[in-house]
Amino acid sequence: MAEEESMRQLIAAFPDLANLKFPLEEEELASIIDKIKERDDLPRPPRQEVPHFGSNAPPQARHKGIQAFIESFQYNYTGENFFNVKGVRQNQSLFRVIEVAKRVIKDSLPIKCVEAVYLGIYLSQSMRDVERLPIIFNSEIDGHKYGHIILLLRYAGRIGAVGLSRRSDLMYKSWGFETLAEVILDYKRSYEKWSHKLNKIKIGTPIPHEGSNRVSQVVNWAHTIINVRGQPWEETEKELHKRGRG
């Protein structure tokens, strides 16, 4: 792959990179980035072409196109974030989310699930017929806790999802689910497949579209929190429907 060849050339130019131990200290990471920027003989990272959808593009085409663009980025295995994506924990405005998404596209560095959701939001900003809903999953395995976020897309009465994960069944979900409960149950089964126990499901508020006066407001990533650990699925499903999000 072009990305792998670029990485081999980069390590050849900077042998010390091969011996780095992650996570890096902020000063160490900044120093490495400065050294790389000083070189003008290094291969440029491949640039992903942003997809453009016509006003009459069917939902399935837009859904698959957004996911394909997200997957064109390498997954970030380093343990370091290359972008300021603290917004999921420290609420950022939608304007800031869009700016980070543009930076992700410009720099073409590896990404994780948060950046993938930022990209999904950016690419669907003009799609007023699409409702976007962020979902955060908190899971646990062998005492280790993990957080993961995806972006639900609802249009024409059906739901799907876009995102990025090391596990293919924990990111993209094809368009066609009828209720929020159905798609979340599908994720729950995927987590169980990988021996993860779900502890919490956090449901954000719908993301406003381009031209909305709410663009400057912070994104509420976790408006509704459902504790699911040890709870029968039927009770979780009731909570989802009770909140009017089924």
Side-chain angles (χ1 to χ4, degrees):
M1 294 176 62
E3 294 89 347
E4 294 175 352
E5 179 60 27
S6 295
M7 182 60 70
R8 283 194 290 269
Q9 293 179 33
L10 181 60
I11 291 177
F14 294 92
D16 291 345
L17 291 180
N19 300 317
L20 289 177
K21 294 183 179 180
F22 295 94
L24 299 175
E25 295 294 333
E26 186 172 344
E27 295 79 6
E28 186 179 12
L29 178 61
S31 175
I32 292 171
I33 291 174
D34 288 340
K35 289 180 181 178
I36 292 174
K37 287 182 176 180
E38 289 173 359
R39 298 283 294 270
D40 57 7
D41 60 333
L42 297 175
R44 293 186 177 277
R47 302 293 183 186
Q48 284 75 16
E49 185 175 347
V50 179
H52 297 283
F53 306 100
S55 58
N56 296 323
Q60 298 96 322
R62 287 182 279 167
H63 190 140
K64 291 180 179 179
I66 291 172
Q67 182 63 30
F69 182 73
I70 290 172
E71 290 187 42
S72 70
F73 290 79
Q74 285 187 302
Y75 188 86
N76 179 5
Y77 292 95
T78 67
E80 297 286 335
N81 287 325
F82 295 122
F83 305 97
N84 181 9
V85 291
K86 297 179 180 180
V88 174
R89 299 184 300 275
Q90 304 171 7
N91 287 346
Q92 291 180 333
S93 69
L94 177 57
F95 176 80
R96 176 60 181 164
V97 168
I98 297 300
E99 289 302 304
V100 172
K102 292 178 180 178
R103 181 65 183 270
V104 169
I105 295 170
K106 177 178 180 292
D107 291 351
S108 295
L109 293 170
I111 63 174
K112 294 183 182 180
C113 60
V114 178
E115 295 97 316
V117 167
Y118 280 27
L119 288 173
I121 292 172
Y122 172 66
L123 292 175
S124 59
Q125 265 303 92
S126 63
M127 301 178 185
R128 294 184 175 276
D129 59 331
V130 178
E131 180 183 9
R132 291 89 51 80
L133 202 66
I135 306 289
I136 297 173
F137 298 99
N138 293 131
S139 66
E140 183 176 344
I141 182 172
D142 296 331
H144 299 284
K145 296 182 178 180
Y146 298 89
H148 180 52
I149 185 170
I150 53 91
L151 184 68
L152 289 188
L153 303 178
R154 177 172 9 211
Y155 29 71
R158 294 291 185 269
I159 302 173
V162 296
L164 193 66
S165 170
R166 284 172 285 188
R167 306 294 189 186
S168 62
D169 51 357
L170 290 177
M171 49 183 197
Y172 174 78
K173 297 295 180 182
S174 60
W175 179 72
F177 292 89
E178 294 187 357
T179 68
L180 178 61
E182 284 182 6
V183 68
I184 287 183
L185 176 59
D186 195 82
Y187 277 107
K188 178 177 180 292
R189 288 168 175 162
S190 296
Y191 271 104
E192 291 170 348
K193 171 185 173 182
W194 299 109
S195 301
H196 275 247
K197 293 182 179 178
L198 271 183
N199 291 334
K200 293 180 181 180
I201 299 170
K202 301 175 182 178
I203 305 169
T205 54
I207 307 293
H209 287 90
E210 190 175 85
S212 169
N213 57 11
R214 293 172 52 209
V215 172
S216 61
Q217 296 179 6
V218 298
V219 177
N220 191 334
W221 304 100
H223 177 265
T224 300
I225 301 176
I226 302 176
N227 294 301
V228 298
R229 182 167 184 171
Q231 178 173 262
W233 170 251
E234 291 74 17
E235 294 301 316
T236 300
E237 189 173 27
K238 287 179 182 177
E239 290 193 53
L240 290 171
H241 286 292
K242 182 174 63 177
R243 286 166 172 76
R245 300 181 182 275

